[in-house]
Amino acid sequence: RSTLFPYTTLFRSANPIVLITAGIIAAGAAIYAFVKITGDAVKEEEKAKVASMQLSVAIDNQSKAFESNSAFNEKNNNHKIAMLKASGASEEQIYKETKALKEQEIQLGINASAEAYRLLVKAQNANASNPTEFTEKALKDAQDNYRKIQDFVDKSYNDLDSIRNEREIAIVQAQTDARKKAEEAAEKARQAQKEKVRLAREKELEDLKKFNADVLKEQQDMNVRRVEQRSEERRVGKECRSRWSP
């Protein structure tokens, strides 16, 4: 005999009403399972949609907060540097404060970048597990936000490098200016000494010239007196001779 004999015998002996009822129950169970599965899928989709929208809001809030904080810090830092310059602070003090403020700005960007990266990973996971237009939008927002903050950090590092380079250039320029000033002062001193020597030499020559002129005048005066004395002697002698002549 066939192995199905017991079952076929059972179905033949079963009440048709029972069979119909069993069929209805089975169909209802199938419908219930389908509705439940479909409803659960809809609920999961709604949950994913809400989660993606919440993630987008969180990304937008972080982006706006970072922009606001960055603008405030930039304004505040500029005011601090302006006050230092107005108070007559040295270039070294201004450099140190500018460098410290820029390092604080970098740390702010690094902290914001870490949070942006956390949101980016969350958006990537959400889009990978259940990609929808909402998860794709959240992912794009997260990527843009992270890229924007990274650009800010990169720019801040470049600014810090520029601050250091400008300080190095300023130090070398100050040393060059001091060296040139010293050289100019030394050259000025040499020229002054040279002029002093020239004037002293001119004075010596002038004094010698005056001395020679005085000596010459004295000799001339002596010659004149000698000539006059001889003339007087001749005159007196002539008178004496004429007086004692017979």
Side-chain angles (χ1 to χ4, degrees):
R1 295 184 179 178
S2 174
T3 56
L4 296 178
F5 174 75
Y7 300 100
T8 55
T9 304
L10 177 63
F11 283 115
R12 289 174 182 173
S13 61
N15 191 331
I17 298 176
V18 175
L19 293 176
I20 294 172
T21 303
I24 294 173
I25 292 173
I31 293 172
Y32 172 78
F34 174 78
V35 170
K36 188 176 187 309
I37 293 172
T38 305
D40 291 343
V42 171
K43 288 180 180 179
E44 289 298 324
E45 185 177 352
E46 288 296 324
K47 288 181 181 179
K49 177 180 177 181
V50 171
S52 298
M53 293 176 66
Q54 290 175 342
L55 182 58
S56 294
V57 170
I59 294 169
D60 185 61
N61 288 340
Q62 197 228 358
S63 177
K64 290 179 179 177
F66 177 74
E67 289 178 357
S68 177
N69 291 337
S70 299
F72 174 80
N73 286 335
E74 182 179 5
K75 184 178 180 180
N76 190 46
N77 293 347
N78 290 339
H79 177 70
K80 287 181 179 179
I81 299 304
M83 289 297 294
L84 274 178
K85 292 180 179 179
S87 65
S90 66
E91 291 186 1
E92 180 67 17
Q93 290 174 319
I94 294 174
Y95 163 71
K96 288 182 178 180
E97 184 65 18
T98 303
K99 178 174 172 289
L101 292 175
K102 185 57 66 174
E103 288 172 346
Q104 291 176 9
E105 180 181 285
I106 290 174
Q107 189 58 51
L108 171 68
I110 291 174
N111 295 340
S113 178
E115 176 62 15
Y117 182 74
R118 185 187 69 82
L119 294 174
L120 175 59
V121 171
K122 190 174 181 180
Q124 288 174 337
N125 292 337
N127 188 64
S129 61
N130 185 20
T132 65
E133 59 177 320
F134 301 103
T135 58
E136 290 178 357
K137 181 181 183 304
L139 178 59
K140 183 179 182 305
D141 293 341
Q143 290 171 339
D144 293 341
N145 183 52
Y146 180 72
R147 188 180 302 110
K148 178 182 66 177
I149 296 177
Q150 281 298 111
D151 290 343
F152 174 87
V153 173
D154 292 341
K155 181 180 181 301
S156 297
Y157 272 117
N158 291 335
D159 291 344
L160 183 60
D161 290 339
S162 297
I163 291 171
R164 290 170 176 163
N165 293 338
E166 288 173 3
R167 180 56 183 168
E168 291 177 359
I169 293 172
I171 291 174
V172 174
Q173 186 63 53
Q175 293 172 346
T176 301
D177 293 342
R179 185 173 61 253
K180 286 183 178 180
K181 188 175 181 180
E183 291 173 353
E184 290 174 357
E187 180 63 22
K188 187 176 181 180
R190 284 194 296 270
Q191 293 298 329
Q193 181 64 24
K194 185 177 179 180
E195 182 66 12
K196 184 178 180 180
V197 171
R198 185 184 68 79
L199 293 175
R201 180 62 180 166
E202 287 183 355
K203 188 175 184 303
E204 289 178 0
L205 293 175
E206 188 66 24
D207 292 343
L208 180 61
K209 183 178 179 181
K210 185 176 180 298
F211 176 76
N212 292 335
D214 292 341
V215 170
L216 180 61
K217 186 175 182 303
E218 183 65 22
Q219 290 177 349
Q220 290 175 349
D221 292 343
M222 289 177 62
N223 292 334
V224 170
R225 287 195 297 270
R226 188 178 297 113
V227 170
E228 290 177 349
Q229 184 177 0
R230 288 177 180 177
S231 298
E232 181 64 19
E233 290 176 352
R234 284 195 296 270
R235 186 185 65 77
V236 173
K238 186 176 180 181
E239 287 181 356
C240 291
R241 286 193 299 272
S242 62
R243 185 179 297 174
W244 294 101
S245 60

